[in-house]
Amino acid sequence: MLPSVRSLAADLSVNMHTVNKSYHELERKGIIRIIPKSGAVVNIPFVDDIIQKRIAGDLEPIINEAIAIGLSENEILAAVRNLISQAKEEEQ
């Protein structure tokens, strides 16, 4: 849940219309949803998409390096599966 237009404008010491315009621009871009009489909320699928793209970008050079040194797709996938398994164990 995002702050109301009035509240955010007061906190930032800017005009309410500026915040309102910004919220509508963020809604137009799919970043937030404005729910009448309830307020604005972050559009979770949009955020999830950003996170997945960042992770893919972080993994790309590592995967390219693994391929360059001759690891097979199965070897790369096995290494990733092993890391996922270790991460899940550490969470518990």
Side-chain angles (χ1 to χ4, degrees), residues 28-48:
R28 187 185 69 74
K29 291 182 177 185
I31 298 170
I32 67 171
R33 289 183 300 124
I34 297 174
I35 304 166
K37 302 199 188 222
S38 294
V41 294
V42 175
N43 190 2
I44 299 301
F46 180 84
V47 174
D48 288 346

